[in-house]
Amino acid sequence: MSKNIDWSNLGFGYIQTDKRFVSNFKDGKWDEGALIDDANITMSECACVLQYAQTVFEGLKAYTTEDGHVVCFRPDLNAARLVDSCKRLEMPTFPEDKFVEAVVKTVEANIDYVPPYGSGATLYLRPYMFGINPVIGVKPAEEYQFRIFCTPVGPYFKGGAKPITIRVSDVDRAAPHGTGDIKAGLNYAMSLHAIVDAHNQGYDENMYLDAATRTKVEETGGANFIFISADGKKLITPKSNSILPSITRRSLMVVAEKYLGLTVEHREVFFDELKDFSECGLCGTAAVISPVGKVVDHGKEICFPAGMEDMGPVTKKLYDTLTGIQMGRIEAPEGWIKTIK
Ligand SMILES: *Cc1c(COP(=O)(O)O)cnc(C)c1O
């Protein structure tokens, strides 16, 4: 029985569900893991995660397809990315096959929370891992917990995706050779002030530039950029070793080339080039693509020709094709869809 939830009025917030997956790392190995009821975690006041932010995470969604299956989108890539994040923070890696199994178990155990097809809502899954034993001298923890909880979330855009306005940030997100390319809470902690300030100034998001030269576009706090060339034939997306490798962005690159016949350029993108592009979007699991209508650089406005009313035509095609693949309306490339039910 589907839960008594008003799917169409869900926001993007936390709703506790019945079960979560937990596995503990102790004495150099992971235990079997289990689904448990307790949504709370008890740990030492000196846990490494609390003192030194030794924690990494992932984010993916489960949803109901047009023909009534429950599926996840490319969970193997989340598993692989978590491994990369763990290595960078000296954490044990969680086996990739076990990760995908745990995703499946978590969705199965909370199947009544998977929103119905057509509601626009999805079940958001949050895998994460953290150092749990007491650590006071700076070093990695010896014991870790891996968890996956899930929460139903509403359609990211209620009443359609209106283009947003973003500003160029005065603070940097990630240093060259830093941790910008891993999915770690530490990258988000430093962005909180910038995002609150952006909102206070009337902007939806921050555009971060490369910290070394401040001439190249990196990303926002939680989404990669895509741009469309003036002639509408090219998708251009920034390349840098301090950008988080978005699974949505990597999937859109394939969709652009294989489904829409666009040329894809994954390369350094200079801020000065923005004025030459026709469309701009932010991509990530939460919204798939958020269209950007305007970028403001200290009072100087760059307005994309697609305007402030609707998603640009190429962005719309990318969005419709990728969401069509996810929802089972368009045939997916081999291995992209993990069927759970
Ligand atoms: C999670 C994240 C993204 C989006 O990645 P997806 O895999 O597409 O959800 C982009 N940038 C940052 C900094 C992120 O943490």
Side-chain angles (χ1 to χ4, degrees):
M1 258 319 277
S2 199
K3 293 281 166 179
N4 191 15
I5 294 174
D6 182 2
W7 304 114
S8 53
N9 283 311
L10 273 177
F12 203 93
Y14 172 72
I15 295 171
Q16 192 181 313
T17 70
D18 296 342
K19 303 281 182 185
R20 62 278 304 126
F21 180 87
V22 182
S23 180
N24 289 294
F25 183 90
K26 212 176 165 172
D27 302 323
K29 57 180 190 298
W30 289 104
D31 67 11
E32 267 304 290
L35 291 159
I36 65 163
D37 294 327
D38 194 354
N40 295 306
I41 302 168
T42 302
M43 68 177 98
S44 164
E45 62 189 353
C46 196
C48 194
V49 58
L50 299 178
Q51 304 311 322
Y52 303 125
Q54 197 187 20
T55 179
V56 294
F57 69 100
E58 276 301 324
L60 71 161
K61 287 168 164 181
Y63 40 85
T64 308
T65 58
E66 189 172 34
D67 59 359
H69 288 291
V70 172
V71 305
C72 277
F73 185 70
R74 311 187 79 180
D76 53 320
L77 297 190
N78 295 98
R81 192 168 63 185
L82 188 74
V83 167
D84 294 339
S85 300
C86 287
K87 285 182 179 162
R88 181 65 175 81
L89 295 193
E90 287 296 330
M91 300 167 78
T93 56
F94 196 75
E96 294 177 46
D97 53 337
K98 288 270 162 52
F99 177 102
V100 175
E101 261 173 48
V103 164
V104 171
K105 283 182 186 160
T106 307
V107 176
E108 282 172 346
N110 296 286
I111 203 83
D112 296 342
Y113 290 93
V114 181
Y117 176 77
S119 64
T122 55
L123 187 71
Y124 182 76
L125 288 122
R126 171 53 60 88
Y128 61 117
M129 192 198 294
F130 52 94
I132 196 166
N133 66 291
V135 168
I136 194 75
V138 179
K139 63 177 182 203
E142 273 148 20
E143 295 172 12
Y144 294 83
Q145 189 163 98
F146 170 80
R147 282 193 169 233
I148 306 179
F149 69 78
C150 58
T151 185
V153 294
Y156 202 79
F157 302 110
K158 291 210 176 97
K162 279 265 172 215
I164 58 171
T165 300
I166 66 178
R167 69 161 186 194
V168 174
S169 173
D170 282 326
V171 303
D172 298 321
R173 190 189 87 90
H177 317 294
T179 54
D181 59 341
I182 62 163
K183 212 163 174 72
L186 59 89
N187 289 328
Y188 280 75
M190 54 60 59
S191 76
L192 296 175
H193 172 66
I195 194 66
V196 169
D197 187 58
H199 289 164
N200 287 340
Q201 310 285 330
Y203 300 103
D204 297 294
E205 264 295 347
N206 287 297
M207 169 184 275
Y208 294 105
L209 302 178
D210 74 296
T213 70
R214 314 206 91 240
T215 59
K216 290 174 268 187
V217 177
E218 294 252 300
E219 59 174 321
T220 65
N224 286 181
F225 279 103
I226 53 166
F227 300 100
I228 303 300
S229 62
D231 64 5
K233 290 181 179 157
K234 254 189 250 171
L235 178 143
I236 301 117
T237 186
K239 185 177 192 172
S240 146
N241 58 14
S242 44
I243 290 177
L244 191 281
S246 156
I247 294 165
T248 313
R249 188 258 302 157
R250 285 182 273 163
S251 303
L252 285 168
M253 288 167 67
V254 175
V255 165
E257 198 172 290
K258 299 276 185 298
Y259 287 71
L260 302 180
L262 302 176
T263 304
V264 174
E265 288 182 2
H266 188 209
R267 59 165 172 86
E268 288 185 332
V269 175
F270 287 87
F271 183 76
D272 285 346
E273 292 180 70
L274 256 58
K275 58 179 188 333
D276 304 329
F277 297 140
S278 59
E279 300 175 35
C280 171
L282 298 176
C283 57
T285 295
V288 184
I289 308 178
S290 322
V292 175
K294 196 194 287 184
V295 178
V296 182
D297 176 22
H298 302 89
K300 204 180 124 222
E301 294 190 349
I302 296 150
C303 300
F304 294 100
M308 295 302 293
E309 281 308 311
D310 294 302
M311 224 182 231
V314 182
T315 306
K316 179 95 173 53
K317 267 190 218 156
L318 286 162
Y319 178 86
D320 287 346
T321 309
L322 185 56
T323 53
I325 289 169
Q326 292 176 329
M327 293 294 167
R329 297 185 297 261
I330 297 173
E331 195 178 341
E334 180 80 31
W336 278 24
I337 303 294
K338 173 81 187 167
T339 304
I340 294 168
K341 196 190 91 173

